[in-house]
Amino acid sequence: MAKIFKVLVELYELLLTVRKNDHSGRVKFTGSLKVDDLIEIAVTRRSDINAVTMKVSYEILKEVALEEVCNSKHVEFGLTHNSLGVNGVFIGDHPSWDSKEDSLSLVSVATVEIRGCLKRATSFF
């Protein structure tokens, strides 16, 4: 059976709508975790891998993923698919790159796994 996730949502009154009881919702975050926190949790679940090995493995994978994304590869890493996007308008038959106007950005799209978790999540107020 798939695990169900519970998400606390805070409601805020929408003042710009015609109806008096319209609300928007925001997720009420219950904490913040960094890689070391995640590693500590993972080690307690899988005692066959120690924290140092897991951290070194993560750092190596992160470095490789970073290099490959910056080399124009589409990389799945963690909870997202990552690739580069281009910002700017290029005019004419032979446009040039203008670093004042043009830039690269990171495009991240949720993986199938995280989208599945979102479908199984229930919200409460």
Side-chain angles (χ1 to χ4, degrees):
M1 183 172 175
K3 185 172 184 173
I4 301 296
F5 302 95
K6 293 183 179 182
V7 177
L8 176 60
V9 175
E10 290 183 318
L11 296 179
Y12 295 88
E13 186 178 357
L14 286 175
L15 301 175
L16 299 176
T17 62
V18 177
R19 293 181 299 268
K20 297 291 182 202
N21 62 349
D22 286 355
H23 296 84
S24 66
R26 289 188 209 137
V27 172
K28 171 77 174 172
F29 293 100
T30 59
S32 179
L33 301 173
K34 296 189 178 211
V35 171
D36 288 338
D37 302 317
L38 297 173
I39 287 172
E40 184 178 321
I41 294 167
V43 166
T44 63
R45 293 182 185 178
R46 295 217 27 189
S47 60
D48 57 327
I49 301 173
N50 68 50
V52 172
T53 301
M54 195 174 293
K55 177 73 180 237
V56 169
S57 299
Y58 167 79
E59 292 296 335
I60 292 169
L61 283 172
K62 184 175 81 168
E63 181 180 320
V64 170
L66 175 64
E67 289 174 5
E68 295 303 327
V69 166
C70 290
N71 281 320
S72 303
K73 300 283 191 330
H74 184 91
V75 176
E76 178 185 326
F77 189 72
L79 303 175
T80 59
H81 296 278
N82 303 284
S83 58
L84 295 178
V86 177
N87 305 312
V89 176
F90 305 94
I91 302 170
D93 291 335
H94 304 286
S96 61
W97 186 270
D98 180 354
S99 59
K100 293 179 186 171
E101 300 289 329
D102 309 318
S103 64
L104 296 173
S105 60
L106 178 67
V107 178
S108 294
V109 177
T111 61
V112 170
E113 292 87 1
I114 192 70
R115 289 193 312 259
C117 287
L118 297 176
K119 287 180 182 177
R120 293 191 312 272
T122 59
S123 299
F124 61 97
F125 307 104

